[in-house]
Amino acid sequence: MPPPPDPEDGASRAERKERTRRAILDAALALAADSNLAAISLRQVAKQVGVVPTAFYRHFGSLELLGLALVDESFRSLRLMLLDVWRHAPEYRDFIDGSLPIVAQHVRENRSHYAFIARERTAGPPRVREAIRHEIELITRELATDIARSGAARQYSSADIALLADLIVSFVVTMAERLVEDPDSEERTLAQARTQLRMLLVGAVNWRSREPAEER
């Protein structure tokens, strides 16, 4: 009897390449789960996937470039979802109540990515740390833009809007890291983050910038 046909035989070259790339990304996430990217080797990743080390280089030039791909993958969909929430948020409370469940869901569905980000944010290779910082800055700037567009911050200068956005995003980043560390306490973590942010905004709604609003 001839052997059964290999399902890979019917796949296009591009499909096989994408599957191998996906397997390399997943293997790196799994290997770095108990340490960080700097502690694993290219050979370990290749062995986990079942390819020769030279096959790794057909997809990523180095482990650092693989880490950059994971950072991009981790943040891309989150940014799009948050932007959609913020652009339909007429008041400060809507920025909070809309954002927190989105982040919690994203962490739940992509826990290994968020665990990777939490570790590499402080202990990763320099370019990976810089990429994570850049992604968080992009989210902060996008939030600042949407706060200004909403009309909820007419009394703020541009600098103060940026500071407020930075505070909100910092709270959300901390919440995401707590959700990674203790997924069983998601409800409590969300409730605490919501209360903390509302306490922050009690002061924000009464804040008046020294710089006139029309100078923004």
Side-chain angles (χ1 to χ4, degrees):
M1 292 287 291
D6 186 347
E8 290 285 342
D9 291 343
S12 69
R13 183 178 178 183
E15 289 171 334
R16 292 195 300 271
K17 184 176 180 181
E18 179 55 32
R19 276 202 284 267
T20 302
R21 183 181 185 276
R22 178 73 263 159
I24 290 171
L25 290 168
D26 291 341
L29 282 174
L31 289 167
D34 298 320
S35 54
N36 57 48
L37 194 64
I40 65 175
S41 70
L42 180 155
R43 288 185 177 277
Q44 283 178 292
V45 177
K47 183 179 179 181
Q48 181 92 348
V49 177
V51 298
V52 295
T54 52
F56 177 97
Y57 287 113
R58 288 199 287 269
H59 299 272
F60 303 100
S62 66
L63 276 173
E64 190 174 60
L65 290 175
L66 185 153
L68 294 177
L70 285 171
V71 171
D72 178 68
E73 188 175 75
S74 300
F75 279 98
R76 191 187 311 122
S77 58
L78 175 64
R79 283 179 56 213
L80 290 174
M81 288 190 294
L82 287 175
L83 275 172
D84 184 59
V85 169
W86 293 340
R87 287 175 180 173
H88 297 86
E91 298 181 2
Y92 291 131
R93 181 176 295 180
D94 300 305
F95 284 102
I96 295 171
D97 292 344
S99 302
L100 298 187
I102 288 290
V103 173
Q105 177 187 346
H106 209 256
V107 171
R108 201 183 312 121
E109 294 174 352
N110 303 275
R111 191 169 303 282
S112 58
H113 284 78
Y114 277 89
F116 172 83
I117 293 297
R119 287 189 303 272
E120 302 302 317
R121 194 158 79 97
T122 56
R127 287 181 68 189
V128 173
R129 294 200 309 268
E130 172 61 23
I132 294 170
R133 185 185 66 80
H134 176 67
E135 291 289 346
I136 293 173
E137 284 181 352
L138 278 179
I139 290 174
T140 303
R141 288 203 297 269
E142 287 162 353
L143 175 57
T145 298
D146 286 316
I147 289 175
R149 284 176 179 165
S150 73
R154 295 186 189 88
Q155 72 273 27
Y156 291 170
S157 65
S158 296
D160 285 352
I161 289 176
L163 286 174
L164 176 59
D166 184 62
L167 280 170
I168 292 173
V169 172
S170 295
F171 270 100
V172 173
V173 168
T174 299
M175 183 196 79
E177 290 178 344
R178 288 175 178 169
L179 289 172
V180 169
E181 293 169 4
D182 189 4
D184 294 333
S185 300
E186 178 181 311
E187 186 176 347
R188 186 180 71 226
T189 300
L190 272 173
Q192 288 175 344
R194 187 177 292 110
T195 300
Q196 288 173 321
L197 281 169
R198 286 183 176 177
M199 290 171 69
L200 166 68
L201 294 183
V202 166
V205 295
N206 293 295
W207 181 262
R208 297 293 182 274
S209 295
R210 293 181 180 179
E211 176 187 343
E214 54 267 21
E215 292 183 18
R216 289 209 302 268

